[in-house]
Amino acid sequence: MQPTTDQTGRITAASFLVTGGAGFIGSHIAERLLAAGARKVRVLDNMTTGHFRNIAPFVNHPRFEYVQGDIRDITACNTACKGIDFVLHHAASGSVPDSINDPITTNNINATGFLNMLVAAHAAQVKRFIYASSASIFTDNQTTPLAGLPGNPESPYAVSKYVNELYADVFSRLHGMETIGLRYSNVFGQRHNPLSEYAAVIPKFVMQLIKHESPVIDVDDEYSHDFIYIDNVVQANMLAVLTTNAKAVNQVYNITFEERTSLNQLAKYLREFLSSFDQSIAGVKIMNAFTQKHNVHPYAYIQKSKKLLGYNPSYSLRDGLLKSAGWYWAYLPRFVEEAVTKKQQRQQVAAVSA
């Protein structure tokens, strides 16, 4: 999206805090804000899953600040919020399997950490608090989450994201805070964290194809997914910052492209684009071994996002994969190796602490 003159003026006059700003989504938001002329963009990240590489392109920008800190530390949250007009909260533990294996840590980061940030933002009198929720709060048998009401969350991760929405609503009503929640579907693109909740199947298939291994589709073809390219997510965040529509604040929005894609079609797209770098990938077979029957995956409608925020995503799954295939080919193997090493180091620290 191209900001209007008035919108550009409001961006250049404002200071922004992006929590989790060294991560996949947060770094893209920080970069876009700087490109739009923001007076200051501060990133708060503890580098647990984030990486300096993600902020390297703009780390020396004169209006950029990096603060090492953890949202579980209320003092760090208070310090990070000082002098800030807009908070874009994207720090989180984003792994469903990790949330099942260690729900306490997930809750501490995603629920308590979120509450810390709300309290700090309220104390700092920020103008608006924008945060990442997740389409995972919907269950597989919710085929039309049009009303925006979650079903029964199926993981501690999903519970924590629903709790975020409840806390934001309470702070809006009790304290008059402006909050906007963005429920992302499966986000993908450059800087994709291969171990995150977002579109985990994409790096899995990419790595298999790079190794000339056959992706195995083990669920029936009716089990379709909503994928969303990172530039569409950044657009939604910019709109949440810039909206002057009073009806648009204190709301939660579904953020996706509003298309459904089977895993079989996804694998075919990836095979097509990656074969540009290695022609032999074109001959890799996609294996269908249906062993599971799922209910139809919930379909995230975006009428509300379009009407109130003016959200109009530009990139389909195919468009986004075409733009990011080069990155996946060049950088994903290194990202996977480093992400696995980081996870092992965290597990070792946790084992020693226990």
Side-chain angles (χ1 to χ4, degrees):
M1 60 171 286
Q2 186 66 35
T4 64
T5 301
D6 176 66
Q7 290 173 332
T8 298
R10 284 188 279 131
I11 293 172
T12 58
S15 295
F16 300 85
L17 169 65
V18 184
T19 68
F24 168 35
I25 298 175
S27 63
H28 280 278
I29 294 170
E31 188 171 28
R32 181 66 61 86
L33 287 167
L34 287 168
R39 182 163 60 86
K40 175 165 55 182
V41 176
R42 180 181 296 157
V43 157
L44 174 67
D45 204 301
N46 66 0
M47 293 296 182
T48 299
T49 56
H51 202 288
F52 181 79
R53 176 193 299 112
N54 291 337
I55 60 175
F58 50 87
V59 72
N60 291 320
H61 195 290
R63 297 190 301 277
F64 175 74
E65 296 179 4
Y66 168 68
V67 177
Q68 176 120 11
D70 195 310
I71 59 172
R72 290 170 289 185
D73 178 358
I74 185 63
T75 301
C77 296
N78 284 327
T79 300
C81 285
K82 288 181 179 178
I84 293 297
D85 298 303
F86 295 87
V87 171
L88 298 101
H89 179 63
H90 287 75
S93 174
S95 168
V96 168
D98 284 355
S99 78
I100 294 171
N101 295 328
D102 186 4
I104 292 176
T105 297
T106 296
N107 186 79
N108 287 342
I109 298 171
N110 292 2
T112 303
F114 182 87
L115 179 58
N116 285 342
M117 282 303 306
L118 270 178
V119 170
H122 172 55
Q125 297 182 320
V126 303
K127 294 178 179 178
R128 187 169 297 162
F129 187 94
I130 299 152
Y131 64 95
S133 184
S134 171
S136 68
I137 68 171
F138 300 119
T139 55
D140 284 353
N141 59 4
Q142 282 184 279
T143 57
T144 55
L146 181 59
L149 300 175
N152 296 316
E154 296 179 337
S155 70
Y157 170 79
V159 169
S160 70
K161 287 299 183 178
Y162 183 34
V163 167
N164 289 178
E165 295 185 10
L166 295 174
Y167 267 131
D169 178 64
V170 167
F171 269 65
S172 296
R173 288 185 285 109
L174 290 181
H175 305 300
M177 285 186 68
E178 289 192 1
T179 69
I180 294 178
L182 304 173
R183 291 186 188 126
Y184 305 143
S185 56
N186 295 289
V187 189
F188 71 95
Q190 300 87 334
R191 305 175 193 162
H192 193 161
N193 180 351
L195 300 185
S196 75
E197 158 70 4
Y198 298 115
V201 69
I202 290 181
K204 176 184 175 182
F205 284 176
V206 168
M207 291 302 297
Q208 288 173 331
L209 289 166
I210 287 175
K211 296 175 182 178
H212 300 160
E213 299 173 356
S214 293
V216 177
I217 314 299
D218 61 358
V219 295
D220 63 88
D221 211 42
E222 291 182 359
Y223 188 66
S224 299
H225 294 253
D226 289 340
F227 295 96
I228 180 169
Y229 181 53
I230 183 63
D231 281 14
N232 295 334
V233 170
V234 173
Q235 179 203 130
N237 278 269
M238 295 299 290
L239 290 169
V241 166
L242 291 170
T243 184
T244 56
N245 180 0
K247 294 181 179 180
V249 299
N250 304 328
Q251 301 278 0
V252 186
Y253 298 95
N254 296 332
I255 301 299
T256 189
F257 188 75
E258 207 171 46
E259 67 177 349
R260 307 185 75 171
T261 306
S262 70
L263 296 182
N264 191 59
Q265 183 60 65
L266 170 65
K268 289 179 179 178
Y269 283 153
L270 289 170
R271 182 177 63 184
E272 174 189 350
F273 297 143
L274 292 173
S275 64
S276 299
F277 306 98
D278 177 358
Q279 292 183 358
S280 60
I281 289 177
V284 175
K285 292 184 177 180
I286 298 167
M287 306 298 291
N288 293 309
F290 299 155
T291 59
Q292 305 175 52
K293 177 71 177 178
H294 282 274
N295 294 321
V296 177
H297 196 71
Y299 188 81
Y301 288 97
I302 59 173
Q303 286 95 325
K304 177 180 173 182
S305 308
K306 289 179 176 180
K307 180 180 179 180
L308 296 182
L309 277 184
Y311 173 65
N312 185 27
S314 303
Y315 297 95
S316 66
L317 171 63
R318 182 179 175 83
D319 295 335
L321 288 175
L322 185 60
K323 285 180 66 69
S324 55
W327 182 91
Y328 279 115
W329 171 261
Y331 295 105
L332 185 64
R334 186 190 311 170
F335 266 50
V336 169
E337 182 179 345
E338 291 183 356
V340 170
T341 299
K342 269 191 169 186
K343 184 173 182 178
Q344 291 172 341
Q345 291 172 344
R346 293 197 303 273
Q347 290 172 337
Q348 291 170 357
V349 170
V352 171
S353 301

